[in-house]
Amino acid sequence: DGGITQSPKYLFRKEGQNVTLSCEQNLNHDAMYWYRQDPGQGLRLIYYSQIVNDFQKGDIAEGYSVSREKKESFPLTVTSAQKNPTAFYLCASSIAPVGSYEQYFGPGTRLTVT
Amino acid sequence: GQQVMQIPQYQHVQEGEDFTTYCNSSTTLSNIQWYKQRPGGHPVFLIQLVKSGEVKKQKRLTFQFGEAKKNSSLHITATQTTDVGTYFCAGGTTSGTYKYIFGTGTRLKVLA
């Protein structure tokens, strides 16, 4: 089956620790995105990548980092600098970097930091 | 910065009633997409509108894109319990950065 996988589904960390969220797609999509969703709110863009070895900051990039070494992988690191990291994190991809194609979302990772 | 607002934030309807959610952007959009997120799930693409004044239908769902390409609406006729979820619009920017600005979402509950 083609799609996007995110792991783990639930993640618990202590404050002050960095944590990396996995996102893998086998759709052969060029563009990939990371969003954050807080309860009762919409999706806010953290980072996006239009092509391998390139990525751009979204609206709330502070305290996060990404890499895009392979087309199919776009991991997100939540650093200790992120002041309020507890949230639902969604990874998405689209067929082309041009913003006129539907985004396919992964199942998400719920991160809880205490 | 660019913002996309949706109203209402919540809507409870009796099964069989109609439902509409509205999306308004502070700037002109290149296109608009609509997504549905079931409780506990992830957003799933519904449709994309590109042309000014465009109207598209999917069974009981009708999507409109405003003439100025700054607003959009989703109308559901005769809601069913399967329509429950949060509906998001996502505006494509015209700045060349190829990113989408998601609306705040409308959470729909359908009472049987």
Side-chain angles (χ1 to χ4, degrees):
Chain A
D1 279 340
I4 300 178
T5 57
Q6 289 185 247
S7 61
K9 188 173 183 179
Y10 298 96
L11 189 56
F12 298 88
R13 281 294 183 269
K14 293 290 186 183
E15 195 173 319
Q17 293 179 332
N18 290 357
V19 59
T20 298
L21 281 59
S22 167
C23 177
E24 303 279 330
Q25 54 102 355
N26 61 2
L27 300 168
N28 199 32
H29 285 174
D30 286 310
M32 296 187 74
Y33 311 81
W34 272 105
Y35 293 92
R36 169 183 172 136
Q37 186 174 32
D38 293 286
Q41 297 190 28
L43 283 66
R44 291 184 290 168
L45 183 65
I46 304 173
Y47 269 98
Y48 63 103
S49 169
Q50 298 171 263
I51 198 168
V52 174
N53 292 321
D54 182 62
F55 48 83
Q56 307 293 329
K57 290 182 178 180
D59 300 315
I60 56 165
E62 186 176 351
Y64 300 98
S65 66
V66 294
S67 62
R68 186 87 186 276
E69 297 177 1
K70 298 186 294 184
K71 187 175 185 178
E72 58 270 22
S73 179
F74 191 41
L76 172 75
T77 296
V78 184
T79 75
S80 56
Q82 168 49 234
K83 294 179 182 178
N84 188 17
T86 295
F88 186 42
Y89 290 89
L90 287 158
C91 178
S93 71
S94 64
I95 193 169
V98 178
S100 59
Y101 294 90
E102 67 181 278
Q103 295 177 63
Y104 292 79
F105 283 83
T109 293
R110 293 194 182 274
L111 173 65
T112 302
V113 177
T114 57
Chain B
Q2 186 170 9
Q3 290 186 331
V4 176
M5 302 299 295
Q6 268 184 267
I7 55 171
Q9 189 175 3
Y10 302 97
Q11 184 82 60
H12 294 183
V13 299
Q14 287 291 135
E15 190 174 20
E17 292 182 338
D18 292 356
F19 160 76
T20 304
T21 174
Y22 300 91
C23 182
N24 293 288
S25 170
S26 58
T27 58
T28 302
L29 301 170
S30 60
N31 61 79
I32 195 155
Q33 297 177 343
W34 284 91
Y35 292 81
K36 177 183 179 181
Q37 185 176 23
R38 293 183 184 276
H42 58 275
V44 174
F45 176 82
L46 294 175
I47 208 160
Q48 176 172 277
L49 304 171
V50 179
K51 300 177 183 177
S52 170
E54 189 170 12
V55 178
K56 286 188 176 180
K57 292 188 176 183
Q58 287 181 349
K59 297 182 180 179
R60 295 178 294 104
L61 277 62
T62 302
F63 304 84
Q64 293 188 348
F65 199 13
E67 294 290 340
K69 301 182 76 171
K70 294 180 70 174
N71 57 72
S72 181
S73 65
L74 158 59
H75 179 81
I76 302 177
T77 303
T79 55
Q80 301 174 357
T81 54
T82 54
D83 296 324
V84 165
T86 301
Y87 292 85
F88 292 99
C89 61
T93 65
T94 57
S95 62
T97 57
Y98 308 124
K99 66 179 185 179
Y100 279 86
I101 307 297
F102 275 78
T104 45
T106 295
R107 185 179 297 179
L108 173 65
K109 286 192 176 181
V110 180
L111 307 173

mmCIF file of all heavy atoms in Angstrom, chain B residues 82-99:
data_model
loop_
_atom_site.group_PDB
_atom_site.id
_atom_site.type_symbol
_atom_site.label_atom_id
_atom_site.label_comp_id
_atom_site.label_asym_id
_atom_site.label_seq_id
_atom_site.Cartn_x
_atom_site.Cartn_y
_atom_site.Cartn_z
ATOM 1 N N THR B 82 -22.410 10.259 9.353
ATOM 2 C CA THR B 82 -21.064 10.041 8.791
ATOM 3 C C THR B 82 -20.348 11.338 8.431
ATOM 4 O O THR B 82 -19.159 11.339 8.127
ATOM 5 C CB THR B 82 -21.147 9.162 7.531
ATOM 6 O OG1 THR B 82 -22.081 9.766 6.620
ATOM 7 C CG2 THR B 82 -21.600 7.753 7.879
ATOM 8 N N ASP B 83 -21.090 12.462 8.470
ATOM 9 C CA ASP B 83 -20.480 13.757 8.159
ATOM 10 C C ASP B 83 -19.750 14.352 9.353
ATOM 11 O O ASP B 83 -19.074 15.383 9.224
ATOM 12 C CB ASP B 83 -21.540 14.759 7.685
ATOM 13 C CG ASP B 83 -22.189 14.339 6.381
ATOM 14 O OD1 ASP B 83 -21.485 13.767 5.523
ATOM 15 O OD2 ASP B 83 -23.403 14.588 6.220
ATOM 16 N N VAL B 84 -19.851 13.721 10.505
ATOM 17 C CA VAL B 84 -19.214 14.230 11.716
ATOM 18 C C VAL B 84 -17.713 14.379 11.516
ATOM 19 O O VAL B 84 -17.058 13.497 10.945
ATOM 20 C CB VAL B 84 -19.493 13.296 12.903
ATOM 21 C CG1 VAL B 84 -18.560 13.585 14.061
ATOM 22 C CG2 VAL B 84 -20.938 13.401 13.333
ATOM 23 N N GLY B 85 -17.160 15.481 12.011
ATOM 24 C CA GLY B 85 -15.722 15.715 11.904
ATOM 25 C C GLY B 85 -15.443 17.199 11.865
ATOM 26 O O GLY B 85 -16.340 18.019 12.049
ATOM 27 N N THR B 86 -14.190 17.520 11.626
ATOM 28 C CA THR B 86 -13.780 18.914 11.497
ATOM 29 C C THR B 86 -13.401 19.170 10.050
ATOM 30 O O THR B 86 -12.618 18.420 9.469
ATOM 31 C CB THR B 86 -12.596 19.232 12.422
ATOM 32 O OG1 THR B 86 -12.978 18.976 13.773
ATOM 33 C CG2 THR B 86 -12.197 20.697 12.302
ATOM 34 N N TYR B 87 -13.956 20.239 9.513
ATOM 35 C CA TYR B 87 -13.709 20.599 8.112
ATOM 36 C C TYR B 87 -12.762 21.795 8.068
ATOM 37 O O TYR B 87 -13.009 22.826 8.703
ATOM 38 C CB TYR B 87 -15.028 20.925 7.416
ATOM 39 C CG TYR B 87 -15.900 19.707 7.268
ATOM 40 C CD1 TYR B 87 -16.746 19.302 8.300
ATOM 41 C CD2 TYR B 87 -15.859 18.936 6.113
ATOM 42 C CE1 TYR B 87 -17.530 18.162 8.183
ATOM 43 C CE2 TYR B 87 -16.643 17.801 5.978
ATOM 44 C CZ TYR B 87 -17.477 17.422 7.019
ATOM 45 O OH TYR B 87 -18.248 16.284 6.908
ATOM 46 N N PHE B 88 -11.682 21.629 7.336
ATOM 47 C CA PHE B 88 -10.669 22.674 7.206
ATOM 48 C C PHE B 88 -10.589 23.154 5.760
ATOM 49 O O PHE B 88 -10.623 22.346 4.832
ATOM 50 C CB PHE B 88 -9.281 22.152 7.582
ATOM 51 C CG PHE B 88 -9.088 21.815 9.019
ATOM 52 C CD1 PHE B 88 -9.184 20.499 9.464
ATOM 53 C CD2 PHE B 88 -8.794 22.805 9.949
ATOM 54 C CE1 PHE B 88 -8.990 20.182 10.795
ATOM 55 C CE2 PHE B 88 -8.599 22.493 11.284
ATOM 56 C CZ PHE B 88 -8.705 21.176 11.703
ATOM 57 N N CYS B 89 -10.434 24.460 5.603
ATOM 58 C CA CYS B 89 -10.032 24.968 4.304
ATOM 59 C C CYS B 89 -8.533 25.248 4.375
ATOM 60 O O CYS B 89 -7.981 25.454 5.462
ATOM 61 C CB CYS B 89 -10.789 26.236 3.933
ATOM 62 S SG CYS B 89 -10.536 27.617 5.045
ATOM 63 N N ALA B 90 -7.882 25.232 3.246
ATOM 64 C CA ALA B 90 -6.447 25.509 3.175
ATOM 65 C C ALA B 90 -6.211 26.367 1.948
ATOM 66 O O ALA B 90 -6.466 25.933 0.819
ATOM 67 C CB ALA B 90 -5.645 24.221 3.108
ATOM 68 N N GLY B 91 -5.731 27.570 2.171
ATOM 69 C CA GLY B 91 -5.523 28.498 1.074
ATOM 70 C C GLY B 91 -4.122 28.425 0.523
ATOM 71 O O GLY B 91 -3.152 28.489 1.282
ATOM 72 N N GLY B 92 -4.025 28.272 -0.787
ATOM 73 C CA GLY B 92 -2.731 28.277 -1.438
ATOM 74 C C GLY B 92 -2.264 29.711 -1.624
ATOM 75 O O GLY B 92 -3.018 30.568 -2.084
ATOM 76 N N THR B 93 -1.017 29.966 -1.260
ATOM 77 C CA THR B 93 -0.526 31.331 -1.326
ATOM 78 C C THR B 93 -0.075 31.689 -2.740
ATOM 79 O O THR B 93 0.229 30.816 -3.548
ATOM 80 C CB THR B 93 0.648 31.550 -0.365
ATOM 81 O OG1 THR B 93 1.748 30.726 -0.799
ATOM 82 C CG2 THR B 93 0.265 31.152 1.038
ATOM 83 N N THR B 94 -0.028 32.965 -3.001
ATOM 84 C CA THR B 94 0.405 33.432 -4.317
ATOM 85 C C THR B 94 1.805 34.009 -4.266
ATOM 86 O O THR B 94 2.272 34.599 -5.214
ATOM 87 C CB THR B 94 -0.559 34.523 -4.846
ATOM 88 O OG1 THR B 94 -0.609 35.574 -3.885
ATOM 89 C CG2 THR B 94 -1.933 33.967 -5.050
ATOM 90 N N SER B 95 2.466 33.819 -3.127
ATOM 91 C CA SER B 95 3.774 34.441 -2.955
ATOM 92 C C SER B 95 4.899 33.628 -3.570
ATOM 93 O O SER B 95 6.035 34.029 -3.517
ATOM 94 C CB SER B 95 4.050 34.644 -1.465
ATOM 95 O OG SER B 95 4.074 33.379 -0.814
ATOM 96 N N GLY B 96 4.578 32.499 -4.094
ATOM 97 C CA GLY B 96 5.595 31.649 -4.715
ATOM 98 C C GLY B 96 6.303 30.734 -3.753
ATOM 99 O O GLY B 96 7.262 30.063 -4.120
ATOM 100 N N THR B 97 5.861 30.687 -2.517
ATOM 101 C CA THR B 97 6.522 29.830 -1.543
ATOM 102 C C THR B 97 5.892 28.453 -1.478
ATOM 103 O O THR B 97 6.364 27.612 -0.750
ATOM 104 C CB THR B 97 6.494 30.461 -0.141
ATOM 105 O OG1 THR B 97 5.121 30.701 0.220
ATOM 106 C CG2 THR B 97 7.252 31.769 -0.125
ATOM 107 N N TYR B 98 4.819 28.231 -2.206
ATOM 108 C CA TYR B 98 4.209 26.920 -2.335
ATOM 109 C C TYR B 98 3.806 26.325 -0.998
ATOM 110 O O TYR B 98 4.089 25.173 -0.705
ATOM 111 C CB TYR B 98 5.161 25.969 -3.059
ATOM 112 C CG TYR B 98 5.650 26.528 -4.356
ATOM 113 C CD1 TYR B 98 7.003 26.652 -4.613
ATOM 114 C CD2 TYR B 98 4.757 26.945 -5.326
ATOM 115 C CE1 TYR B 98 7.447 27.172 -5.811
ATOM 116 C CE2 TYR B 98 5.191 27.466 -6.527
ATOM 117 C CZ TYR B 98 6.538 27.583 -6.760
ATOM 118 O OH TYR B 98 6.983 28.092 -7.941
ATOM 119 N N LYS B 99 3.203 27.096 -0.149
ATOM 120 C CA LYS B 99 2.710 26.554 1.097
ATOM 121 C C LYS B 99 1.237 26.909 1.247
ATOM 122 O O LYS B 99 0.728 27.793 0.577
ATOM 123 C CB LYS B 99 3.496 27.096 2.280
ATOM 124 C CG LYS B 99 3.342 28.588 2.534
ATOM 125 C CD LYS B 99 4.156 29.005 3.738
ATOM 126 C CE LYS B 99 3.908 30.466 4.075
ATOM 127 N NZ LYS B 99 4.680 30.894 5.277
#
